[in-house]
Amino acid sequence: MKNSYLYIFCFSLLSLGSCSLDTEPITNLTDTSFYKTKEDAFTALVGCYDGLQVATGASGMGIPVISEVLSDDCFGGTGNSDGYGYAAIDEFDTSRSPSDVDFFNSNWVAYYKAIYRCNIFLSKMDQIEWGGDTALKNTYTSETRFIRAYLYFEMVRLWGNVPLLTVASSENIPQANPDDVYKVIAEDLVFASNNLPATAYSATTSGRITKWAAKSLLGRVYLYYTGYYGKTDLAGVVTKTQALGHLEDVIASSGHGLVDDFSTLWPAASVDKYAGESNKETVFSIKYTYTSDYNGNSDGNQWLVMFGMREFSSYPYGRGWGVTVNSKLWNSYSATDTRRTASMIGIAEEGIQFNKLNSQREYTGYYNKKYAPMVNKDGVDLPIAMGSAFWDISQFQDYVVLRYADVLLMAAELGSGNAQVYFDDVRRRAYKTNFTPLAVNQDNILKERYLEFSLEGVRYWDLLRQGIGKASSSIAETTTLLSGGVPVTKTILAAKIMETKGLQQIPNTQITLSGGVLKQNAGW
């Protein structure tokens, strides 16, 4: 059998951070000579985590950013002299940037590289000398299957129709029925939920996948799939009762909980009071570090800079490329909701002397505070202050994929007998002494999710799972924004969103490379 050459992984044992996949073999090891020992297995596992990190943070358009631009939370913004790619995505309209025929090509490639790593490792599990350590084998298998499930979930939400590969292959295959993709996602997450150790939060390693992360993601996948596709269970694998049971198990046994002060979840909102990357509310996060460079080391959060104020810093907020926050979001919070000022930078409200209006497109006066680049008191970008040579690609704030507050609200939405308690817990933290009870029901839960998870890459998917009609009517807008300091009309048409069904452009490069086997989504 022909051997495949391995690609060397550079990694940190503590953070599982790693460098990007090289495109040429740089070791004589092959897939038959490498996958032998537990040490080999750990290196391969780190490679899978690395693939996840690169796919979500260091290649192409950052999906957390795109998820916000697609929603009603943010406008595309960016520089007034930039191309209109972000506007085209924001408005679901390629005519805004006709030359952009490959919005997500780098993302597509990175996702499939990461999935390839996972599939190779899974196929070699029985080749590894585990020394009778079945528990370790099951743990590594579970983590790898979680990563594969996470990658496919992002892809199938974004594109709807993607090729499904569960073994390493270079074959040119057509897009799968989404039901088949979701079946694999569900089976991977059920396996991880059943086989990862039931270790309480306090004893887990930050950034490592846990039983609680698998169960929580299973709840999110269930709600999205059944909502968007109008199904009663998750691809015939997970019922509503089972999905709720997994979430209740997280609540009862994980050791996770809400931090007392919402603002301390976000470094730019709390500075010296920050609860830290490993706080008890973080069920799963994707790790980043500040050591990225242009020589293959891409372990930084390279999308965070998109949320920064356009070319402007004001302690503790750092500069960036200017994706702007819709003022509608600010106005949706009551004055007594502590989440408003913890979630958004209000230029006028905070007395910031922003002087880059001429550079900023679609200025609203609001920016993302949850994911904001930061400077120190001397105005130095934190990555630079910590020793990096590159402030833009070396942002290092982790991406919090799943928070305990989400587990509570998902369980409430799925009909837990404790739904009112869970709902009240989330709201009580937000309003503190101004808390007043509100009846728990579907509408109120979804409104609460809008406020709780704003600017975290959650809102767009919550809208889509309520139906394309709901999503399009919520996102569609005609308003006046400042671009280069000049009032300009901004229009997002519901009809465009309806035409695409909320799905994004299949990269045209991939369609060409497939010889037409891949088909473009409607509306693109």
Side-chain angles (χ1 to χ4, degrees):
M1 184 178 70
K2 183 178 178 180
N3 289 326
S4 298
Y5 284 98
L6 296 176
Y7 300 94
I8 207 80
F9 303 131
C10 132
F11 59 93
S12 157
L13 297 180
L14 293 178
S15 69
L16 287 174
S18 58
C19 59
S20 62
L21 180 72
D22 288 323
T23 57
E24 297 295 334
I26 54 178
T27 173
N28 291 325
L29 293 172
T30 68
D31 64 353
T32 52
S33 65
F34 173 72
Y35 295 92
K36 292 293 187 181
T37 68
K38 294 180 187 179
E39 290 74 19
D40 294 343
F42 182 71
T43 301
L45 177 64
V46 170
C48 294
Y49 273 96
D50 173 70
L52 171 65
Q53 181 194 65
V54 171
T56 57
S59 186
M61 305 180 100
I63 298 306
V65 178
I66 293 303
S67 299
E68 287 303 316
V69 171
L70 289 169
S71 79
D72 55 345
D73 280 353
C74 290
F75 295 116
T78 66
N80 196 46
S81 60
D82 288 349
Y84 284 87
Y86 277 83
I89 292 171
D90 189 16
E91 298 168 25
F92 295 77
D93 187 357
T94 54
S95 69
R96 291 285 277 135
S97 187
S99 63
D100 280 311
V101 296
D102 272 325
F103 289 127
F104 301 108
N105 189 59
S106 295
N107 299 86
W108 182 283
V109 172
Y111 278 126
Y112 277 107
K113 280 186 177 181
I115 287 169
Y116 178 84
R117 291 185 182 187
C118 293
N119 285 338
I120 282 284
F121 187 29
L122 290 170
S123 73
K124 301 300 179 181
M125 287 292 176
D126 291 335
Q127 180 179 303
I128 294 165
E129 297 166 359
W130 295 100
D133 196 344
T134 303
L136 184 64
K137 177 183 178 182
N138 284 339
T139 294
Y140 284 11
T141 300
S142 296
E143 289 180 79
T144 306
R145 291 184 70 170
F146 176 102
I147 292 169
R148 183 173 69 178
Y150 184 89
L151 293 164
Y152 269 127
F153 184 45
E154 284 208 340
M155 292 172 69
V156 76
R157 286 193 305 181
L158 192 66
W159 290 299
N161 307 286
V162 297
L164 176 62
L165 292 165
T166 55
V167 295
S169 172
S170 60
E171 289 188 27
N172 184 17
I173 63 173
Q175 290 133 301
N177 186 312
D179 292 344
D180 295 332
V181 180
Y182 275 99
K183 187 172 187 292
V184 170
I185 294 170
E187 290 172 345
D188 280 350
L189 292 177
V190 167
F191 182 91
S193 296
N194 292 338
N195 287 279
L196 283 164
T199 306
Y201 145 75
S202 59
T204 59
T205 302
S206 178
R208 288 293 289 269
I209 293 154
T210 65
K211 176 185 287 288
W212 321 118
K215 287 172 175 285
S216 300
L217 185 58
L218 196 54
R220 178 175 287 180
V221 173
Y222 176 89
L223 283 167
Y224 184 80
Y225 175 80
T226 55
Y228 184 79
Y229 294 99
K231 301 294 182 70
T232 57
D233 62 23
L234 175 51
V237 178
V238 178
T239 66
K240 180 178 180 180
T241 299
Q242 290 169 332
L244 175 58
H246 283 292
L247 295 172
E248 296 282 25
D249 195 19
V250 176
I251 294 167
S253 306
S254 70
H256 285 289
L258 299 176
V259 301
D260 293 335
D261 184 341
F262 180 85
S263 71
T264 63
L265 290 167
W266 318 108
S270 56
V271 190
D272 295 334
K273 298 188 300 176
Y274 178 42
E277 295 174 345
S278 303
N279 69 76
K280 66 180 180 180
E281 190 162 337
T282 300
V283 178
F284 178 64
S285 62
I286 295 175
K287 306 291 291 183
Y288 300 106
T289 67
Y290 57 87
T291 55
S292 281
D293 54 38
Y294 289 100
N295 294 313
N297 186 10
S298 54
D299 54 6
N301 182 335
Q302 297 186 26
W303 53 261
L304 187 74
V305 70
M306 294 305 304
F307 283 129
M309 296 182 292
R310 183 71 191 184
E311 301 172 356
F312 181 85
S313 299
S314 177
Y315 176 78
Y317 317 126
R319 56 181 164 157
W321 303 139
V323 167
T324 56
V325 173
N326 194 330
S327 60
K328 181 181 79 170
L329 180 59
W330 178 274
N331 295 330
S332 295
Y333 290 90
S334 74
T336 58
D337 191 334
T338 63
R339 294 172 297 193
R340 179 162 71 177
T341 56
S343 301
M344 284 169 281
I345 299 169
I347 298 298
E349 289 80 1
E350 297 185 41
I352 297 171
Q353 302 301 307
F354 183 75
N355 60 9
K356 294 291 184 178
L357 282 178
N358 289 342
S359 299
Q360 176 70 66
R361 180 180 292 156
E362 298 178 346
Y363 179 76
T364 63
Y366 300 99
Y367 293 94
N368 189 339
K369 188 181 290 188
K370 289 180 176 178
Y371 290 102
M374 294 178 67
V375 295
N376 64 19
K377 291 181 179 179
D378 295 322
V380 179
D381 302 288
L382 287 192
I384 301 297
M386 297 178 73
S388 174
F390 307 99
W391 70 275
D392 52 350
I393 64 171
S394 293
Q395 298 294 331
F396 54 89
Q397 184 178 337
D398 291 351
Y399 176 47
V400 180
V401 175
L402 289 159
R403 289 198 282 118
Y404 184 72
D406 200 353
V407 177
L408 293 176
L409 292 181
M410 286 192 293
E413 189 174 345
L414 286 173
S416 169
N418 294 316
Q420 187 69 57
V421 174
Y422 299 160
F423 185 61
D424 288 348
D425 284 347
V426 173
R427 296 187 68 252
R428 185 175 287 106
R429 178 181 62 181
Y431 292 95
K432 296 186 176 180
T433 58
N434 293 303
F435 169 77
T436 55
L438 182 67
V440 63
N441 58 47
Q442 188 81 352
D443 286 344
N444 286 339
I445 290 171
L446 289 167
K447 289 176 184 175
E448 201 61 36
R449 291 182 63 84
Y450 172 47
L451 302 174
E452 178 72 19
F453 306 116
S454 65
L455 308 174
E456 296 179 46
V458 174
R459 171 66 172 172
Y460 182 61
W461 315 112
D462 271 357
L463 285 173
L464 278 187
R465 67 183 178 87
Q466 296 175 66
I468 190 62
K470 171 68 174 179
S472 61
S473 63
S474 297
I475 297 168
E477 183 169 0
T478 297
T479 188
T480 300
L481 304 173
L482 292 178
S483 290
V486 177
V488 174
T489 300
K490 167 78 170 182
T491 301
I492 303 174
L493 296 174
K496 288 289 186 182
I497 304 169
M498 293 289 290
E499 184 181 2
T500 64
K501 298 181 182 178
L503 303 177
Q504 302 310 298
Q505 179 194 74
I506 303 292
N508 282 296
T509 291
Q510 298 303 317
I511 294 174
T512 299
L513 289 172
S514 77
V517 172
L518 298 180
K519 305 301 179 185
Q520 187 56 270
N521 284 330
W524 296 102

